[in-house]
Amino acid sequence: MTAEEKILYKLRKAQRKEERFVQALKKIEPKESSEATHDPEILTPEEHFFFLKMGLKCKNYVPVGRRGIYQGVILNMHLHWKKHQTLKVVVKTFTPEEVKEIAAELARFTGGIVLDIHEENTIIMYRGKNYSQPPTEIMSPRVTLSRKKALDKSKCRDGLRALRRYIPRLQQDLELLHARAGGKVGKGTEPTEETPETDIDGAESRSISSKQLENSEKLKEIIDRQDEGSEDGPDTDLGIASDSEDLSDIFETDSDADTEETSKRPLYLEEFEKFSVEADGEPEDFEEHLRQISLGSKKGVTSGKDVDIPTGVDVDSPSFDEVDRMFLRAPSLLKRKKR
């Protein structure tokens, strides 16, 4: 199922539930629809103020729960009015509008007077001036529901209330889904701009070729100016100077690249280049140099315990370091070990 089908399925299911709850509430309502006549007594402002103050101070109350008004609530109110003139009816599970409806129904069923609704959840009622305890039929009227039916009615009412909040949300989700689908279709009809990588490479190559063309055009202009200057004579010195500036501008990029390469080159290579390739007639290869020294040492003549040194070589000369002297004396030391 798609998203739209899911929402439609939930919406239809919720609407069927709503119809079932409405029918169940109609069945639960009592069959006798004869409304009790209620003629409340008229109170003066002083009496109203006095009884209201008394009702706010009194501690006796009757709670109204999720079942709402049923026979037990009305019976409890009459039992309280046996000894107290005022009474509090505490309603905490209903909205302020529903509390007003409950207050009107209580006044109609009990015959009392509603003095005020305090803090939107407490109904303060007065029993009346000439109150006398009514018979059982009035204390628990048949018009009201029993305890069990009142509970069933409250369940149906709560379910219906939840569905009436849930159905508009489903309808809103469905409208949003249709709006998104319409937006996607509109976007699909518009042409889309594609930017592949090849376009970027082509743009770079075009920029390079355009620079080369500009440089070639500048060179042609300079050559033409030089030809004209040779015909005009010494008056064209300024033009030649400007041509030289143009040439410097053209080849400025190449010189900049060369300077960057030289700056990146390591310094130790420059130091090595300072040494001459051949020093004092010696060969370039160091191994060949050592071979010549060893051959000269073989031809040399040793005396006593002295070390054989090649002819024509001064060991103590400052040009030799300790490593060179060790190499020069190595053959004579090997000969001594063999002996």
Side-chain angles (χ1 to χ4, degrees), residues 60-153:
N60 53 320
Y61 70 95
V62 174
V64 176
R66 61 177 296 182
R67 290 179 175 85
I69 299 170
Y70 65 100
Q71 294 175 359
V73 174
I74 296 169
L75 181 61
N76 287 335
M77 290 176 68
H78 283 291
L79 293 174
H80 276 285
W81 278 338
K82 277 184 181 181
K83 296 181 179 180
H84 304 282
Q85 291 182 347
T86 56
L87 173 70
K88 288 180 182 178
V89 181
V90 181
V91 185
K92 289 190 176 179
T93 57
F94 295 91
T95 60
E97 291 78 12
E98 291 174 344
V99 171
K100 291 178 182 178
E101 293 177 2
I102 289 169
E105 288 180 1
L106 288 173
R108 182 166 55 85
F109 289 134
T110 59
I113 300 168
V114 178
L115 296 175
D116 191 15
I117 297 173
H118 184 63
E119 294 181 355
E120 295 183 352
N121 61 357
T122 305
I123 304 167
I124 300 169
M125 296 190 71
Y126 172 58
R127 67 182 183 179
K129 292 179 182 178
N130 301 320
Y131 175 77
S132 61
Q133 191 171 359
T136 309
E137 294 178 357
I138 296 173
M139 290 177 65
S140 56
R142 294 179 182 178
V143 179
T144 57
L145 297 172
S146 64
R147 185 181 178 87
K148 184 178 181 299
K149 286 186 177 180
L151 181 62
D152 295 337
K153 182 181 177 181

XYZ file of all heavy atoms in Angstrom, residues 60-153:
762
model
N -18.120 20.125 52.713
C -18.840 18.997 52.126
C -18.919 19.167 50.601
O -19.212 20.265 50.105
C -20.244 18.882 52.736
C -21.000 20.174 52.644
O -20.449 21.242 52.838
N -22.293 20.085 52.333
N -18.667 18.081 49.864
C -18.667 18.133 48.398
C -19.074 16.776 47.843
O -19.022 15.739 48.514
C -17.287 18.522 47.866
C -16.228 17.453 48.049
C -15.936 16.562 47.038
C -15.557 17.327 49.261
C -14.977 15.578 47.210
C -14.605 16.352 49.438
C -14.308 15.483 48.408
O -13.364 14.503 48.592
N -19.453 16.801 46.573
C -19.821 15.590 45.836
C -18.956 15.550 44.571
O -19.010 16.502 43.774
C -21.324 15.577 45.471
C -21.639 14.380 44.573
C -22.161 15.537 46.719
N -18.171 14.490 44.385
C -17.348 14.416 43.171
C -18.140 13.867 41.989
O -19.006 12.994 42.136
C -16.223 13.459 43.573
C -16.837 12.581 44.587
C -17.871 13.388 45.316
N -17.834 14.390 40.807
C -18.410 13.896 39.552
C -17.249 13.393 38.699
O -16.372 14.171 38.297
C -19.200 15.003 38.820
C -19.696 14.496 37.474
C -20.346 15.469 39.674
N -17.234 12.070 38.434
C -16.130 11.461 37.685
C -16.432 11.323 36.213
O -17.198 12.101 35.625
N -15.836 10.306 35.621
C -15.965 10.122 34.183
C -17.370 9.692 33.784
O -17.772 9.876 32.623
C -14.960 9.072 33.697
C -15.138 7.719 34.307
C -14.150 6.724 33.722
N -14.376 6.509 32.308
C -13.672 5.651 31.577
N -12.704 4.941 32.144
N -13.930 5.496 30.297
N -18.137 9.120 34.701
C -19.503 8.698 34.374
C -20.445 9.884 34.176
O -21.479 9.745 33.529
C -20.045 7.798 35.494
C -19.382 6.442 35.559
C -19.961 5.636 36.709
N -19.431 4.282 36.752
C -18.297 3.941 37.337
N -17.566 4.881 37.948
N -17.874 2.696 37.326
N -20.074 11.039 34.749
C -20.959 12.186 34.631
C -22.093 12.120 35.643
O -21.917 11.678 36.783
N -23.287 12.566 35.232
C -24.459 12.603 36.120
C -25.224 11.278 35.993
O -25.605 10.882 34.880
C -25.373 13.781 35.764
C -24.609 15.101 35.928
C -26.600 13.790 36.651
C -25.352 16.283 35.379
N -25.416 10.624 37.084
C -26.253 9.416 37.146
C -27.003 9.427 38.482
O -26.932 10.399 39.252
C -25.422 8.150 36.939
C -24.398 7.865 38.004
C -24.655 6.941 39.005
C -23.176 8.540 38.016
C -23.718 6.679 39.993
C -22.246 8.279 38.982
C -22.504 7.355 39.962
O -21.574 7.113 40.939
N -27.727 8.378 38.772
C -28.618 8.353 39.934
C -27.879 8.528 41.255
O -28.363 9.193 42.172
C -29.383 7.020 39.943
C -30.335 6.874 38.787
C -30.988 5.513 38.742
O -30.715 4.655 39.584
N -31.879 5.316 37.775
N -26.692 7.953 41.382
C -25.934 8.042 42.631
C -25.504 9.454 42.961
O -25.477 9.859 44.143
N -25.159 10.275 41.963
C -24.725 11.660 42.208
C -25.882 12.473 42.788
O -25.725 13.225 43.768
C -24.195 12.292 40.900
C -23.877 13.764 41.103
C -22.971 11.559 40.406
N -27.073 12.344 42.218
C -28.227 13.122 42.683
C -28.634 12.682 44.095
O -28.991 13.503 44.959
C -29.384 12.972 41.693
C -28.959 13.571 40.352
C -30.641 13.651 42.188
C -29.879 13.260 39.209
N -28.544 11.386 44.346
C -28.866 10.889 45.684
C -27.900 11.439 46.726
O -28.308 11.865 47.820
C -28.839 9.359 45.673
C -29.170 8.646 46.986
C -30.591 8.986 47.443
C -28.980 7.144 46.840
N -26.624 11.468 46.423
C -25.624 12.021 47.365
C -25.874 13.503 47.643
O -25.691 13.968 48.773
C -24.210 11.823 46.819
C -23.752 10.384 46.885
O -24.244 9.614 47.728
N -22.833 10.013 46.014
N -26.286 14.238 46.646
C -26.556 15.670 46.848
C -27.727 15.870 47.836
O -27.644 16.716 48.732
C -26.868 16.333 45.503
C -25.667 16.441 44.580
S -26.090 17.122 42.969
C -26.503 18.786 43.409
N -28.763 15.100 47.657
C -29.893 15.243 48.581
C -29.509 14.803 49.991
O -29.991 15.399 50.976
C -31.083 14.417 48.081
C -31.801 15.050 46.948
N -32.561 16.205 47.086
C -31.886 14.700 45.629
C -33.085 16.536 45.920
N -32.689 15.622 45.024
N -28.678 13.816 50.118
C -28.233 13.405 51.450
C -27.401 14.489 52.119
O -27.469 14.681 53.341
C -27.438 12.097 51.361
C -28.252 10.862 50.943
C -27.331 9.675 50.737
C -29.330 10.530 51.979
N -26.602 15.207 51.365
C -25.835 16.327 51.933
C -26.760 17.472 52.347
O -26.507 18.155 53.341
C -24.802 16.831 50.914
C -23.527 16.055 50.918
N -22.581 16.178 51.911
C -23.039 15.127 50.046
C -21.554 15.374 51.638
N -21.812 14.726 50.513
N -27.816 17.679 51.580
C -28.697 18.813 51.866
C -29.594 18.565 53.092
O -30.350 19.440 53.488
C -29.568 19.106 50.649
C -28.818 19.943 49.617
C -27.746 20.724 49.844
C -29.151 20.063 48.237
N -27.332 21.343 48.679
C -28.192 20.960 47.659
C -30.134 19.512 47.400
C -28.202 21.308 46.306
C -30.151 19.876 46.075
C -29.192 20.760 45.533
N -29.525 17.393 53.630
C -30.278 17.157 54.865
C -29.781 18.040 55.998
O -30.578 18.548 56.802
C -30.122 15.695 55.296
C -31.047 14.740 54.619
C -30.857 13.354 55.209
C -31.778 12.356 54.507
N -31.620 10.998 55.090
N -28.438 18.227 56.064
C -27.839 18.968 57.180
C -27.150 20.255 56.744
O -26.768 21.051 57.596
C -26.820 18.082 57.888
C -27.441 16.856 58.542
C -26.394 16.027 59.253
C -27.047 14.817 59.918
N -26.055 13.975 60.637
N -26.918 20.429 55.435
C -26.209 21.628 54.942
C -27.059 22.328 53.883
O -27.713 21.665 53.063
C -24.842 21.250 54.349
C -23.959 20.503 55.294
N -23.252 21.121 56.299
C -23.694 19.168 55.412
C -22.565 20.210 56.981
N -22.819 19.019 56.452
N -27.015 23.626 53.924
C -27.789 24.404 52.949
C -27.072 24.490 51.594
O -27.732 24.560 50.556
C -28.046 25.813 53.502
C -28.995 25.846 54.685
C -29.251 27.262 55.177
O -28.547 28.197 54.790
N -30.270 27.424 56.030
N -25.744 24.564 51.628
C -24.947 24.694 50.388
C -24.125 23.432 50.170
O -23.892 22.638 51.103
C -24.011 25.911 50.468
O -23.180 25.800 51.618
C -24.821 27.194 50.529
N -23.600 23.334 48.929
C -22.875 22.118 48.541
C -21.931 22.440 47.385
O -22.246 23.271 46.527
C -23.881 21.041 48.122
C -23.314 19.746 47.526
C -22.610 18.942 48.606
C -24.429 18.936 46.894
N -20.801 21.769 47.413
C -19.846 21.879 46.298
C -19.928 20.604 45.449
O -19.914 19.496 45.987
C -18.413 22.022 46.805
C -18.089 23.352 47.425
C -16.640 23.368 47.887
C -16.310 24.689 48.561
N -14.902 24.689 49.066
N -19.962 20.782 44.130
C -19.909 19.657 43.183
C -18.621 19.829 42.382
O -18.499 20.781 41.590
C -21.142 19.628 42.256
C -21.049 18.440 41.308
C -22.411 19.583 43.064
N -17.671 18.941 42.614
C -16.333 19.051 41.998
C -16.318 18.219 40.718
O -16.552 16.996 40.747
C -15.236 18.573 42.980
C -13.864 18.715 42.334
C -15.305 19.367 44.271
N -16.055 18.885 39.603
C -16.007 18.239 38.282
C -14.617 18.509 37.693
O -14.276 19.665 37.426
C -17.100 18.791 37.349
C -17.102 18.028 36.038
C -18.442 18.730 38.014
N -13.804 17.444 37.495
C -12.423 17.647 37.029
C -12.107 16.960 35.707
O -11.022 17.101 35.184
C -11.454 17.136 38.090
C -11.405 18.015 39.319
C -10.272 17.610 40.223
C -10.164 18.562 41.411
N -9.082 18.197 42.331
N -13.012 16.193 35.181
C -12.732 15.451 33.941
C -13.477 16.003 32.736
O -13.583 15.329 31.710
C -13.122 13.970 34.130
O -14.494 13.900 34.507
C -12.266 13.317 35.194
N -13.966 17.240 32.830
C -14.734 17.827 31.745
C -14.209 19.229 31.457
O -13.569 19.865 32.301
C -16.230 17.889 32.112
C -16.869 16.533 32.267
C -16.908 15.911 33.510
C -17.419 15.891 31.176
C -17.499 14.672 33.653
C -18.015 14.648 31.327
C -18.042 14.024 32.559
N -14.540 19.725 30.287
C -14.150 21.070 29.878
C -15.058 22.106 30.552
O -16.144 21.769 31.065
C -14.267 21.202 28.354
O -15.621 20.962 27.962
C -13.351 20.187 27.659
N -14.675 23.382 30.569
C -15.529 24.417 31.188
C -16.914 24.499 30.572
O -17.910 24.734 31.296
C -14.732 25.701 30.955
C -13.320 25.266 30.851
C -13.353 23.930 30.204
N -17.048 24.305 29.256
C -18.384 24.340 28.642
C -19.234 23.177 29.119
O -20.439 23.328 29.386
C -18.251 24.307 27.115
C -17.665 25.572 26.494
C -16.147 25.658 26.643
O -15.549 24.624 27.028
O -15.588 26.734 26.392
N -18.609 22.000 29.227
C -19.352 20.844 29.716
C -19.719 20.991 31.192
O -20.766 20.493 31.634
C -18.513 19.572 29.512
C -18.353 19.189 28.045
C -17.408 18.019 27.851
O -16.658 17.701 28.804
O -17.417 17.436 26.763
N -18.881 21.688 31.962
C -19.200 21.926 33.383
C -20.460 22.784 33.498
O -21.332 22.551 34.369
C -18.009 22.591 34.098
C -18.385 23.038 35.503
C -16.839 21.635 34.169
N -20.603 23.765 32.611
C -21.815 24.596 32.634
C -23.060 23.761 32.309
O -24.128 23.934 32.923
C -21.672 25.740 31.634
C -20.639 26.780 32.042
C -20.520 27.861 30.989
C -19.445 28.874 31.368
N -19.286 29.921 30.322
N -22.935 22.854 31.338
C -24.067 21.979 31.001
C -24.424 21.069 32.180
O -25.610 20.847 32.473
C -23.717 21.141 29.770
C -23.570 21.959 28.497
C -23.147 21.111 27.313
O -23.012 19.869 27.507
O -22.956 21.668 26.222
N -23.387 20.539 32.855
C -23.640 19.673 34.017
C -24.344 20.454 35.131
O -25.252 19.937 35.807
C -22.307 19.070 34.511
C -21.805 18.033 33.514
C -22.464 18.434 35.883
C -20.378 17.582 33.760
N -23.926 21.718 35.331
C -24.580 22.538 36.367
C -26.059 22.746 36.051
O -26.935 22.670 36.946
C -23.855 23.880 36.470
N -26.395 22.984 34.770
C -27.799 23.175 34.402
C -28.601 21.893 34.609
O -29.757 21.927 35.093
C -27.887 23.626 32.946
N -28.018 20.736 34.264
C -28.713 19.462 34.448
C -28.927 19.151 35.932
O -29.996 18.657 36.344
C -27.926 18.329 33.789
C -27.986 18.382 32.265
C -27.201 17.252 31.634
O -26.630 16.430 32.393
O -27.137 17.199 30.399
N -27.909 19.425 36.762
C -28.055 19.180 38.206
C -29.163 20.046 38.799
O -29.956 19.580 39.656
C -26.732 19.456 38.920
C -25.613 18.440 38.702
C -24.321 18.939 39.324
C -26.003 17.085 39.284
N -29.230 21.313 38.380
C -30.300 22.190 38.878
C -31.666 21.673 38.445
O -32.652 21.756 39.201
C -30.074 23.604 38.385
N -31.758 21.110 37.231
C -33.040 20.597 36.731
C -33.457 19.316 37.454
O -34.626 19.130 37.783
C -32.923 20.345 35.225
C -34.194 19.863 34.590
C -34.089 19.966 33.071
N -32.936 19.257 32.556
C -32.915 17.943 32.263
N -33.989 17.213 32.494
N -31.841 17.398 31.769
N -32.467 18.411 37.734
C -32.807 17.136 38.374
C -33.040 17.273 39.879
O -33.882 16.563 40.444
C -31.701 16.102 38.132
C -31.634 15.614 36.719
C -30.424 15.520 36.050
C -32.792 15.235 36.045
C -30.363 15.067 34.754
C -32.735 14.776 34.740
C -31.517 14.703 34.081
N -32.310 18.164 40.542
C -32.387 18.259 42.012
C -33.314 19.363 42.489
O -33.759 19.348 43.646
C -30.986 18.514 42.595
O -30.465 19.728 42.040
C -30.061 17.363 42.293
N -33.568 20.354 41.669
C -34.394 21.476 42.083
C -33.620 22.519 42.870
O -34.228 23.431 43.453
N -32.272 22.451 42.885
C -31.464 23.433 43.601
C -31.157 24.659 42.749
O -31.624 24.801 41.610
N -30.362 25.547 43.337
C -30.009 26.815 42.691
C -28.488 26.862 42.542
O -27.744 26.648 43.522
C -30.498 28.021 43.520
C -32.009 27.961 43.675
C -30.084 29.326 42.874
C -32.546 28.925 44.707
N -28.019 27.156 41.335
C -26.577 27.283 41.068
C -26.159 28.698 41.445
O -26.627 29.680 40.830
C -26.261 26.983 39.587
C -24.764 27.175 39.327
C -26.698 25.588 39.199
N -25.299 28.796 42.446
C -24.826 30.115 42.880
C -23.653 30.599 42.022
O -23.638 31.766 41.616
C -24.400 30.050 44.356
C -25.514 29.733 45.353
C -24.944 29.577 46.760
C -26.581 30.821 45.333
N -22.690 29.740 41.767
C -21.498 30.166 40.999
C -20.711 28.922 40.589
O -20.864 27.839 41.180
C -20.627 31.095 41.850
C -19.532 31.758 41.019
O -19.651 31.721 39.775
O -18.563 32.276 41.609
N -19.856 29.100 39.576
C -18.890 28.063 39.157
C -17.510 28.602 39.501
O -17.022 29.554 38.872
C -19.011 27.738 37.663
C -20.393 27.168 37.370
C -17.939 26.737 37.242
C -20.692 26.975 35.912
N -16.894 28.008 40.515
C -15.621 28.503 41.046
C -14.458 27.753 40.401
O -14.442 26.511 40.378
C -15.611 28.312 42.567
C -14.380 28.867 43.232
N -14.058 30.208 43.218
C -13.384 28.246 43.938
C -12.939 30.397 43.880
N -12.510 29.228 44.322
N -13.484 28.535 39.861
C -12.269 27.986 39.242
C -12.571 26.996 38.111
O -11.792 26.070 37.842
C -11.384 27.302 40.297
C -10.807 28.269 41.315
C -9.922 27.564 42.331
O -9.859 26.299 42.280
O -9.324 28.259 43.155
N -13.739 27.167 37.461
C -14.136 26.414 36.265
C -14.296 24.914 36.499
O -14.444 24.150 35.543
C -13.121 26.626 35.124
C -13.069 28.050 34.622
C -12.121 28.210 33.455
O -11.396 27.223 33.147
O -12.104 29.287 32.850
N -14.243 24.450 37.750
C -14.414 23.014 37.998
C -15.201 22.722 39.289
O -15.350 21.560 39.655
C -13.064 22.301 38.068
C -12.178 22.812 39.174
O -12.537 23.754 39.883
N -11.016 22.204 39.327
N -15.657 23.754 39.961
C -16.401 23.561 41.212
C -17.730 24.313 41.121
O -17.737 25.546 40.989
C -15.585 24.064 42.419
O -14.319 23.419 42.424
C -16.310 23.779 43.713
N -18.828 23.558 41.209
C -20.173 24.148 41.152
C -20.679 24.307 42.589
O -20.728 23.322 43.348
C -21.123 23.251 40.343
C -20.565 23.012 38.944
C -22.499 23.888 40.246
C -21.274 21.911 38.195
N -21.025 25.526 42.966
C -21.571 25.806 44.306
C -23.086 25.935 44.183
O -23.580 26.794 43.435
C -20.956 27.092 44.895
C -19.442 26.923 45.007
C -21.553 27.390 46.260
C -18.694 28.166 45.317
N -23.810 25.054 44.901
C -25.272 24.984 44.776
C -25.949 25.194 46.144
O -25.412 24.799 47.183
C -25.697 23.630 44.199
C -25.194 23.414 42.784
S -25.919 21.975 42.002
C -27.597 22.537 41.757
N -27.109 25.777 46.063
C -27.950 26.046 47.264
C -29.238 25.230 47.123
O -29.843 25.169 46.039
C -28.234 27.542 47.359
C -29.218 27.940 48.412
C -29.017 27.631 49.759
C -30.377 28.633 48.061
C -29.943 28.002 50.723
C -31.299 29.025 49.021
C -31.065 28.687 50.349
O -31.980 29.041 51.316
N -29.707 24.625 48.244
C -30.850 23.693 48.192
C -32.195 24.411 48.064
O -33.157 23.836 47.531
C -30.871 22.826 49.447
C -31.168 23.573 50.716
C -31.118 22.678 51.921
N -31.482 23.413 53.137
C -31.533 22.870 54.339
N -31.233 21.584 54.500
N -31.865 23.582 55.382
N -32.250 25.662 48.499
C -33.510 26.417 48.426
C -34.011 26.775 49.820
O -33.623 26.182 50.828
N -34.916 27.753 49.874
C -35.417 28.231 51.172
C -36.363 27.228 51.818
O -36.236 26.899 52.991
C -36.137 29.565 50.976
C -35.235 30.708 50.580
C -36.063 31.968 50.392
C -35.199 33.126 49.935
N -36.004 34.352 49.704
N -37.293 26.743 51.077
C -38.306 25.838 51.609
C -37.992 24.390 51.195
O -38.832 23.688 50.611
C -39.694 26.249 51.127
C -40.042 27.661 51.535
O -39.735 28.081 52.666
N -40.670 28.402 50.642
N -36.783 23.948 51.480
C -36.375 22.604 51.055
C -36.903 21.561 52.021
O -36.844 21.720 53.255
C -34.845 22.516 50.999
C -34.332 21.123 50.684
C -34.363 20.634 49.398
C -33.843 20.306 51.701
C -33.907 19.362 49.106
C -33.375 19.039 51.418
C -33.406 18.571 50.117
O -32.945 17.310 49.812
N -37.391 20.511 51.473
C -37.782 19.330 52.246
C -37.322 18.101 51.459
O -37.384 18.099 50.209
C -39.296 19.289 52.449
O -39.951 19.213 51.203
N -36.885 17.080 52.172
C -36.313 15.925 51.489
C -37.374 15.264 50.602
O -38.452 14.876 51.099
C -35.788 14.922 52.520
C -34.953 13.832 51.872
C -34.258 12.987 52.921
O -34.401 13.236 54.138
N -33.523 11.990 52.478
N -37.112 15.130 49.324
C -38.113 14.577 48.405
C -38.221 13.065 48.543
O -37.393 12.417 49.189
C -37.574 14.974 47.033
C -36.117 15.074 47.216
C -35.885 15.530 48.626
N -39.196 12.472 47.908
C -39.318 11.017 47.947
C -38.211 10.340 47.133
O -37.422 10.982 46.448
C -40.711 10.759 47.350
C -41.004 11.951 46.546
C -40.315 13.105 47.210
N -38.159 9.037 47.213
C -37.077 8.268 46.574
C -37.103 8.424 45.061
O -36.051 8.426 44.401
C -37.213 6.774 46.948
O -37.327 6.660 48.369
C -36.019 5.994 46.469
N -38.270 8.539 44.475
C -38.360 8.675 43.021
C -37.664 9.950 42.529
O -37.090 9.972 41.447
C -39.833 8.691 42.599
C -40.545 7.365 42.854
C -42.001 7.427 42.479
O -42.443 8.541 42.078
O -42.688 6.419 42.585
N -37.714 10.991 43.356
C -37.058 12.247 42.965
C -35.582 12.217 43.335
O -34.731 12.764 42.615
C -37.776 13.439 43.636
C -39.210 13.511 43.114
C -37.043 14.737 43.352
C -40.064 14.527 43.817
N -35.253 11.560 44.452
C -33.846 11.502 44.867
C -32.999 10.668 43.895
O -31.810 10.940 43.713
C -33.751 10.932 46.283
C -34.285 11.883 47.343
S -34.255 11.194 48.992
C -32.530 10.996 49.292
N -33.604 9.642 43.290
C -32.904 8.864 42.253
C -33.834 8.726 41.046
O -34.501 7.691 40.883
C -32.514 7.487 42.786
O -33.665 6.808 43.267
N -33.933 9.747 40.216
C -34.908 9.749 39.117
C -34.555 8.721 38.045
O -33.396 8.395 37.812
C -34.839 11.176 38.581
C -33.524 11.670 38.975
C -33.163 10.996 40.249
N -35.590 8.222 37.388
C -35.388 7.241 36.340
C -34.853 7.861 35.055
O -34.361 7.160 34.167
C -36.713 6.543 36.047
C -37.225 5.701 37.181
C -38.551 5.072 36.817
N -39.089 4.281 37.937
C -40.254 3.661 37.905
N -41.043 3.764 36.825
N -40.665 2.963 38.958
N -34.990 9.157 34.953
C -34.499 9.831 33.742
C -32.984 9.700 33.632
O -32.434 9.620 32.539
C -34.919 11.309 33.751
C -34.406 12.028 32.513
C -36.422 11.412 33.851
N -32.345 9.662 34.765
C -30.879 9.530 34.770
C -30.485 8.075 34.528
O -31.292 7.142 34.666
C -30.307 9.997 36.110
O -30.905 9.234 37.164
C -30.569 11.477 36.311
N -29.225 7.884 34.197
C -28.683 6.557 33.886
C -28.234 5.844 35.150
O -27.945 6.480 36.178
C -27.496 6.675 32.922
C -27.797 7.255 31.539
C -26.494 7.492 30.799
C -28.714 6.335 30.742
N -28.172 4.535 35.052
C -27.589 3.750 36.133
C -26.068 3.846 36.095
O -25.478 4.421 35.172
C -28.027 2.285 36.012
O -27.519 1.728 34.810
N -25.437 3.229 37.084
C -23.983 3.323 37.188
C -23.294 2.647 35.994
O -22.347 3.181 35.418
C -23.539 2.679 38.510
C -22.065 2.818 38.815
C -21.745 2.125 40.130
N -20.332 2.197 40.425
C -19.735 3.185 41.058
N -20.445 4.235 41.458
N -18.445 3.169 41.302
N -23.763 1.468 35.611
C -23.142 0.723 34.510
C -23.348 1.437 33.179
O -22.421 1.587 32.372
C -23.737 -0.682 34.452
C -23.075 -1.570 33.398
C -23.685 -2.948 33.422
C -22.999 -3.834 32.378
N -23.153 -3.316 31.020
N -24.587 1.874 32.925
C -24.842 2.559 31.660
C -24.096 3.900 31.571
O -23.678 4.322 30.486
C -26.346 2.784 31.505
C -27.100 1.518 31.173
C -28.552 1.826 30.892
C -29.316 0.556 30.489
N -30.742 0.840 30.207
N -23.933 4.561 32.703
C -23.179 5.819 32.702
C -21.713 5.571 32.321
O -21.096 6.370 31.595
C -23.269 6.477 34.069
N -21.162 4.436 32.788
C -19.782 4.097 32.411
C -19.673 3.794 30.926
O -18.733 4.249 30.242
C -19.306 2.909 33.245
C -17.866 2.451 32.994
C -16.888 3.571 33.330
C -17.556 1.203 33.798
N -20.633 3.057 30.370
C -20.627 2.767 28.930
C -20.765 4.050 28.119
O -20.097 4.224 27.080
C -21.764 1.804 28.586
C -21.578 0.440 29.243
O -20.403 0.104 29.573
O -22.588 -0.268 29.434
N -21.620 4.936 28.609
C -21.788 6.202 27.896
C -20.495 7.025 27.899
O -20.130 7.631 26.881
C -22.905 7.008 28.556
C -23.194 8.325 27.873
C -24.293 9.079 28.582
C -24.527 10.430 27.919
N -25.588 11.191 28.624
